[in-house]
Amino acid sequence: MITFEEIKATLPNKWLDYYQINRSWIKPLMDSRSWWRKTTDDGKRPCADIILGAITALEPKLSIWMPPFCQLNSDGDKLIDVLGLHFDPDKELTKREEERAKLPQLNSSEIDEIEIIRQLNNLAKENSKL
């Protein structure tokens, strides 16, 4: 069985991916309803309901843990903190992009993945002949 810590470790990237794809509607919604929450990194994040809804859909195994967490404390902001998601997603996306720019092997525009697979297959074939 997967542990909570193993699940928790995957949540920030899943949330960032979701936010990046959906920020075109999340930002206006948060702005229009003043649902932004201040973060400890001097930024802002969407309200807990948006994050919890998204992350439980993205990580179905989290559903095992959410009922007891909600019974212990139904404060969504505290749940976000426990899940390690109390950060400004725009700032984190910027950091992630900067990190990827430093590592060209992670920059998909510079790498043809099919060519890499072909090269690996050729190496495997050559090694099998030895």
Side-chain angles (χ1 to χ4, degrees):
M1 181 177 197
I2 192 165
T3 68
F4 173 71
E5 290 303 318
E6 291 170 325
I7 293 171
K8 183 179 171 182
T10 68
L11 299 181
N13 279 326
K14 288 181 179 189
W15 164 239
L16 285 174
D17 291 341
Y18 180 87
Y19 179 80
Q20 186 173 29
I21 292 167
N22 293 285
R23 70 176 143 189
S24 63
W25 66 265
I26 293 174
K27 282 184 164 191
L29 180 67
M30 297 300 103
D31 289 341
S32 69
R33 298 182 181 186
S34 299
W35 281 358
W36 291 107
R37 299 293 181 261
K38 291 183 180 183
T39 59
T40 54
D41 58 359
D42 293 323
K44 61 184 182 181
R45 65 163 173 78
C47 69
D49 295 342
I50 294 290
I51 298 172
L52 291 172
I55 206 64
T56 54
L58 294 168
E59 181 50 75
K61 294 175 186 167
L62 189 58
S63 66
I64 297 167
W65 297 95
M66 290 307 290
F69 284 169
C70 290
Q71 286 179 348
L72 289 171
N73 191 336
S74 62
D75 181 343
D77 291 324
K78 293 200 188 288
L79 292 171
I80 293 301
D81 197 31
V82 167
L83 295 172
L85 301 172
H86 186 60
F87 55 81
D88 183 321
D90 287 309
K91 287 184 177 189
E92 289 301 314
L93 285 170
T94 300
K95 286 181 195 175
R96 187 163 80 171
E97 289 169 16
E98 289 169 355
E99 289 296 317
R100 287 182 177 171
K102 292 177 188 175
L103 302 170
Q105 67 270 24
L106 294 179
N107 189 341
S108 62
S109 65
E110 295 180 18
I111 296 177
D112 182 357
E113 293 179 31
I114 295 173
E115 185 56 33
I116 291 172
I117 293 168
R118 285 185 188 128
Q119 290 174 8
L120 290 172
N121 282 337
N122 288 337
L123 284 172
K125 287 177 187 176
E126 289 175 16
N127 286 336
S128 68
K129 291 178 184 177
L130 299 175

